[in-house]
Amino acid sequence: MKKKTVLLDDAAMGRAITRIAHEIVEKNKGGEDLVLIGIKTRGIPLTKRLQEKISQIEGISIPTGELDITLYRDDLEKVTTDEDPEIKGSSINVDLKKKKVVLIDDVLYTGRTVRAAMDAVMDIGRPSQIQLGVLVDRGHRELPIRADYVGKNIPTSEEEIVVVHLQESDDEEEVSLYEK
């Protein structure tokens, strides 16, 4: 893969997180009955950043959770030696009944990951509403899914790949566009 350009640097990512946090608070009229759930893998650190930013803005701590959608994917691949899928596990320690759940992920592409995440959330509990926040929306939807909160819209071609690097997992902070 060949790197074409940097789409978001450290500062731009920080501004995007701040904007998304403000939009979440504004749309939900504060943080009451709100739960932020990160889709593994890079949705989790983004969720923690949003939780911290909302805490700074509103002075409240929004509960968070981690969601593994492996078993809900429609393209499930068997990656272990005994042909079982590799499960990373979900961690949601709050009752989702009658809560507003905001799913958080790094990149929205076809919509299939979000569909799987919604199915997983519904199996855990019945929220009053599910919203979606993403750092990057690159287009090319295959399902009728739209993000409520977007850090940056980046129209891409099918031959391009958006790569998100976060300090927590990659020791660098950057969103880049690569050519396949």
Side-chain angles (χ1 to χ4, degrees):
M1 286 192 317
K2 179 183 168 207
K3 187 177 196 176
K4 289 177 73 172
T5 187
V6 173
L7 301 170
L8 295 171
D9 61 11
D10 187 18
M13 286 176 70
R15 288 190 298 274
I17 293 292
T18 299
R19 186 176 59 258
I20 292 170
H22 279 282
E23 289 174 0
I24 289 171
V25 169
E26 185 176 329
K27 181 174 181 169
N28 293 288
K29 298 175 177 69
E32 190 173 324
D33 293 326
L34 200 60
V35 179
L36 303 175
I37 298 178
I39 300 172
K40 289 191 175 184
T41 298
R42 286 180 178 77
I44 294 166
L46 293 172
T47 298
K48 291 177 182 168
R49 292 180 191 188
L50 285 166
Q51 180 190 40
E52 290 170 13
K53 192 58 73 174
I54 290 171
S55 177
Q56 292 171 3
I57 296 166
E58 290 290 300
I60 57 173
S61 182
I62 304 292
T64 64
E66 300 178 2
L67 190 62
D68 179 3
I69 60 157
T70 303
L71 292 177
Y72 293 88
R73 294 194 58 91
D74 58 7
D75 60 350
L76 183 64
E77 293 185 23
K78 312 262 191 227
V79 294
T80 60
T81 55
D82 59 0
E83 292 299 308
D84 289 330
E86 182 179 6
I87 309 297
K88 297 177 180 104
S90 295
S91 174
I92 300 174
N93 299 320
V94 61
D95 184 6
L96 299 182
K97 188 175 184 180
K98 298 185 180 179
K99 301 284 187 192
K100 295 177 190 171
V101 169
V102 182
L103 292 171
I104 305 295
D105 205 5
D106 57 347
V107 178
L108 177 58
Y109 182 33
T110 63
R112 293 186 178 283
T113 296
V114 175
R115 186 222 35 96
M118 289 189 297
D119 287 348
V121 164
M122 296 304 283
D123 279 354
I124 293 168
R126 175 73 166 87
S128 64
Q129 189 177 61
I130 298 176
Q131 300 170 17
L132 175 62
V134 297
L135 184 61
V136 175
D137 183 345
R138 63 169 288 190
H140 303 285
R141 219 72 77 240
E142 294 175 4
L143 300 171
I145 290 174
R146 173 186 60 79
D148 299 280
Y149 315 103
V150 178
K152 187 165 181 79
N153 284 295
I154 302 168
T156 62
S157 76
E158 293 284 344
E159 288 74 42
E160 295 172 318
I161 298 171
V162 174
V163 178
V164 176
H165 290 282
L166 300 175
Q167 195 64 44
E168 296 88 339
S169 56
D170 307 300
D171 293 326
E172 70 175 307
E173 197 78 4
E174 181 179 278
V175 178
S176 301
L177 188 65
Y178 286 81
E179 191 78 40
K180 285 184 184 176

